[in-house]
Amino acid sequence: MRTVAATATGIHHRSYTSELRLRATRSEYFRLALLAVVLLVVPFALGNYWLSIVNTIFIAVIGAVGLNILVGYTGQISLGQGGFLAVGAYSSAILSDRIGVPVPLSILFAVALTAVVGTFFGLPGLRLKGLYLAIATLASQQIIEFIIRRDYGGVLTQGKGYINVDRLEFLGFKIGARAVFEQQWYWILMPLAVLVVLAARNIFRTGLGRSFMAVRDQDIAAEAIGVNLTRAKLTAFAVSSGFVGLAGALTAHYSEVVTWEKFTLEVSILYLAMIIVGGLGSVAGAVYGAVFMTLLPVLIRNVANAVEGSVPFLADQLPAIQNAAFGAIIIAFLIFEPRGLDRIWQRMKDYIRFWPFRY
Amino acid sequence: MSTFLNLLVYGLADGAILALAALGFVLIYKATGVINFAQGEFLLVGAYMFYTAFVVLRLPLVLAVVFGVVVATLLGVVIERLILRPMVGESAISIIMVTIGLSMLLQALVQMFYGTSPKSQPALLPRQSVSFLGATVPLNRLLVIGIAAVVLTAFTVFFRWSRHGIAMRAVADDQQAAMTMGISVRRIFAMAWALAAVSALVAGVLLGDISAVDRNLASFGLLVFPVVILGGLDSVPGTIVGGLTMGLLSQYVSGYLDPGLATVIPYVVLVLILLVRPYGIFGETRIERV
């Protein structure tokens, strides 16, 4: 069996409240403060190009945390992430641009709608498990993708095939031109991502979150100890899709254009890869995975550009190499570290904590 | 009437290829319990291997087929050994994701070596058409149906009467009992992957010949899911029934209604079957209830 992570010395919980605390040691508070400083400094330290990548990461974090609630914590595999992102993106874009609903409201509506759609597609999950559920969600992905691609009667895009979304504007505030665009978005996306991470962490300190985990670990036993399976599964689908819908809506407003190509099966797979690389069933893991999988193609591209003169092969084959790396990383993580980056980080901390001893 | 017949032939040809692709999928699922999302990439790799042997290396047809079969067998065995064996006992999510990773890797490798443009390959099957009950149908589609029927029969005979086939069925039925009878489960696992790769090779070569040898061959892989869900995930005859049904359904929808709709209809059928009879027509009713 795997070893359990070490606990810091000198921590004695005397009440349930203290045991439930997210942070107990001084070093944990120190790391939190460090992270906060980094998050506050980043928008001033980075240029527009890297800020745009950071912003993409924040959206990916929201989507990945949402997916991990469903897949990692509740054990319901979903290949329909792309479709759910699409629901969020299209509904918020249409509401705000065509009907004139203020953007914050349209995003809220998109979240609610995606939660409803997610619950609907979660219905097969009540009867199906594991691979059957995977196939059912694959079908729902293909069906949603077909609907947005075909766009019968031009309901979604008015026959253009894409939606141009106006620059974000709410309560008299409007996102500025290119020079400040990324920075302003940073101040919108960063707090949202932080909120989502906090919300997810807290869900799993409540009875509801615990019931999700019980369903994952042993559904029949969960039922026996009084977890309402139907309710737990459907709530998991709803909560998870809600987060995903938020990510979708933010994609729409941030990238200012909505097309079906952004919501294909590959996107579903990308998000699954994020939570597997990061660590299934861990909020922090979803964050690491989102960062890692967003940076990976960027880094490969930068390396390829840097060595373009000496190794032209790399630059020519860039998309293929990115995909190959992507596939290879999924396989490597599943075989060598199924609990992902989160577990690697945990081991690194343990190593330092125990040093100079091995264990 | 002639449209109807035409679509019938096209549908049966598509269906026969789908059945071959699904056969490999079912083999793997039955013997090892793995859902293989990389089945479409097996088709792709098979078609490109044959292309390499036949066009690039200029081997005669028979040798090219042998080359393809050898490479496909090796590929299947190596994949089973290196990727799937370490995953034995992992959760369904992990196993599904590892085959998805594999599919991306295989597709990227093919793209790296062969580029993205379609490869021209001399026609293997005659391109002329024949008149048949008042309709003109292309000869190669009829031949595809014939070849697929022969291959599927060969596989059925293999399972039914050959020593290895019986061993495979035993493993599929009960791994531990099979082990106590002295059957090497590891060898059977490797064989399942190898045979799946070979049947995908046949499907890939046939599909490449009637359409084109390019990346789109892999998209056929996802269509395997409606086929196997309809026929039953662990049923060999189910693949034939499911494959032909899906092939005909797509062709008729595409011919009479809307070609775009034809791409999504199989998935709608899939969802309906999952709601009504998740184990398919011939599948074993072993589904867990919660």
Side-chain angles (χ1 to χ4, degrees):
Chain A
M1 280 311 286
R2 297 190 179 95
T3 47
V4 194
T7 43
T9 49
I11 305 288
H12 306 289
H13 296 298
R14 286 158 200 278
S15 65
Y16 287 119
T17 341
S18 98
E19 205 190 352
L20 268 176
R21 276 193 302 180
L22 290 176
R23 290 182 169 69
T25 63
R26 205 171 292 157
S27 68
E28 280 170 343
Y29 278 105
F30 176 72
R31 280 203 299 270
L32 184 67
L34 202 66
L35 182 69
V37 170
V38 169
L39 284 179
L40 292 177
V41 169
V42 156
F44 305 105
L46 295 181
N48 273 339
Y49 169 70
W50 283 103
L51 264 187
S52 73
I53 291 163
V54 173
N55 283 337
T56 322
I57 289 177
F58 283 132
I59 295 177
V61 163
I62 298 174
V65 167
L67 185 66
N68 213 357
I69 292 177
L70 188 64
V71 182
Y73 281 102
T74 322
Q76 310 292 305
I77 188 166
S78 165
L79 286 166
Q81 176 87 354
F84 297 150
L85 283 168
V87 173
Y90 274 84
S91 54
S92 183
I94 290 173
L95 271 179
S96 62
D97 273 27
R98 216 173 297 157
I99 305 177
V101 177
V103 171
L105 280 183
S106 78
I107 290 181
L108 276 183
F109 182 83
V111 170
L113 183 71
T114 317
V116 172
V117 173
T119 317
F120 175 75
F121 281 108
L123 286 176
L126 297 179
R127 283 187 68 188
L128 307 173
K129 282 212 296 196
L131 38 101
Y132 280 93
L133 184 61
I135 296 173
T137 51
L138 170 73
S140 60
Q141 163 73 32
Q142 299 284 26
I143 292 170
I144 295 182
E145 201 181 308
F146 173 77
I147 292 173
I148 58 176
R149 194 164 72 188
R150 231 34 206 339
D151 193 10
Y152 279 108
V155 186
L156 295 173
T157 64
Q158 298 176 316
K160 284 183 303 206
Y162 61 92
I163 306 179
N164 263 326
V165 184
D166 290 340
R167 188 139 296 183
L168 183 72
E169 188 177 4
F170 61 94
L171 306 172
F173 168 76
K174 190 168 182 176
I175 294 275
R178 275 291 142 191
V180 289
F181 178 85
E182 300 292 352
Q183 215 175 58
Q184 289 179 337
W185 264 106
Y186 181 92
W187 293 113
I188 297 171
L189 293 174
M190 188 271 281
L192 278 175
V194 170
L195 269 181
V196 162
V197 168
L198 269 181
R201 276 308 293 270
N202 281 315
I203 285 175
F204 294 102
R205 300 201 292 162
T206 65
L208 179 72
R210 298 289 161 109
S211 73
F212 290 176
M213 290 192 265
V215 170
R216 171 194 63 189
D217 293 338
Q218 235 305 331
D219 43 11
I220 296 168
E223 180 103 77
I225 58 168
V227 171
N228 184 338
L229 218 54
T230 312
R231 206 185 114 216
K233 278 188 182 175
L234 288 185
T235 324
F237 265 100
V239 171
S240 155
S241 320
F243 283 127
V244 177
L246 176 63
L250 290 172
T251 316
H253 292 287
Y254 171 66
S255 62
E256 300 187 338
V257 65
V258 181
T259 59
W260 67 268
E261 286 105 332
K262 286 182 183 166
F263 308 108
T264 53
L265 183 63
E266 276 88 70
V267 177
S268 302
I269 294 172
L270 171 68
Y271 273 90
L272 276 174
M274 282 179 195
I275 60 172
I276 281 183
V277 167
L280 283 173
S282 149
V283 173
V287 177
Y288 305 149
V291 174
F292 186 87
M293 292 316 272
T294 319
L295 283 181
L296 181 72
V298 178
L299 292 180
I300 293 179
R301 190 169 65 221
N302 285 358
V303 170
N305 286 344
V307 297
E308 200 178 350
S310 46
V311 199
F313 167 80
L314 267 179
D316 296 342
Q317 298 285 353
L318 192 56
I321 288 174
Q322 281 172 339
N323 283 338
F326 196 85
I329 279 176
I330 297 177
I331 296 174
F333 264 94
L334 282 167
I335 292 178
F336 298 113
E337 188 48 275
R339 289 164 75 192
L341 290 168
D342 186 47
R343 178 73 194 152
I344 292 177
W345 172 233
Q346 198 73 44
R347 275 217 307 264
M348 276 160 58
K349 283 192 294 194
D350 287 355
Y351 184 82
I352 292 169
R353 210 171 260 159
F354 289 131
W355 196 84
F357 303 109
R358 287 290 305 284
Y359 56 89
Chain B
M1 193 61 201
S2 71
T3 325
F4 181 84
L5 260 181
N6 236 323
L7 291 176
L8 180 76
V9 172
Y10 276 81
L12 286 178
D14 279 5
I17 294 172
L18 268 177
L20 275 175
L23 175 73
F25 182 92
V26 166
L27 275 180
I28 292 174
Y29 179 72
K30 222 169 133 75
T32 70
V34 169
I35 283 271
N36 182 19
F37 270 80
Q39 193 65 24
E41 280 66 24
F42 278 16
L43 255 73
L44 184 73
V45 172
Y48 273 98
M49 282 306 122
F50 180 80
Y51 164 82
T52 312
F54 192 56
V55 180
V56 180
L57 301 177
R58 295 169 189 282
L59 295 179
L61 183 61
V62 179
L63 276 183
V65 172
V66 172
F67 175 85
V69 169
V70 169
V71 173
T73 312
L74 281 178
L75 181 78
V77 171
V78 167
I79 286 174
E80 195 275 333
R81 183 68 193 87
L82 291 184
I83 298 178
L84 271 304
R85 196 169 302 169
M87 300 296 295
V88 167
E90 294 282 340
S91 69
I93 297 176
S94 306
I95 289 179
I96 288 170
M97 276 311 288
V98 92
T99 60
I100 289 179
L102 177 67
S103 78
M104 303 194 68
L105 186 61
L106 287 179
Q107 207 170 74
L109 287 177
V110 166
Q111 191 184 336
M112 243 182 252
F113 284 109
Y114 298 94
T116 47
S117 53
K119 300 289 171 199
S120 59
Q121 177 175 295
L124 304 171
L125 304 173
R127 288 272 157 92
Q128 69 264 39
S129 39
V130 286
S131 284
F132 179 68
L133 289 177
T136 356
V137 289
L139 188 59
N140 58 1
R141 307 270 163 170
L142 291 175
L143 286 173
V144 162
I145 302 173
I147 294 172
V150 170
V151 175
L152 285 168
T153 319
F155 270 104
T156 315
V157 168
F158 170 78
F159 289 123
R160 206 59 217 253
W161 286 292
S162 87
R163 204 180 155 73
H164 290 294
I166 294 170
M168 261 182 117
R169 275 170 35 217
V171 170
D173 197 42
D174 188 333
Q175 270 178 31
Q176 283 187 347
M179 269 168 144
T180 59
M181 301 309 289
I183 295 168
S184 163
V185 173
R186 290 181 169 189
R187 284 234 317 262
I188 297 295
F189 277 20
M191 206 162 77
W193 279 87
L195 286 179
V198 170
S199 79
L201 165 92
V202 179
V205 171
L206 291 179
L207 188 63
D209 192 51
I210 59 174
S211 57
V213 180
D214 65 4
R215 290 167 70 200
N216 292 332
L217 290 179
S219 60
F220 230 64
L222 286 181
L223 275 177
V224 163
F225 290 104
V227 171
V228 294
I229 289 291
L230 177 64
L233 262 182
D234 51 4
S235 156
V236 173
T239 60
I240 300 169
V241 175
L244 295 182
T245 315
M246 285 301 163
L248 287 173
L249 186 70
S250 302
Q251 282 297 342
Y252 281 123
V253 169
S254 146
Y256 285 117
L257 295 170
D258 174 3
L261 196 61
T263 59
V264 82
I265 277 291
Y267 297 102
V268 176
V269 175
L270 194 170
V271 171
L272 293 180
I273 298 164
L274 279 179
L275 290 176
V276 184
R277 196 182 158 89
Y279 35 87
I281 302 175
F282 300 108
E284 203 174 327
T285 43
R286 201 161 40 179
I287 193 155
E288 282 179 86
R289 295 214 177 263
V290 208

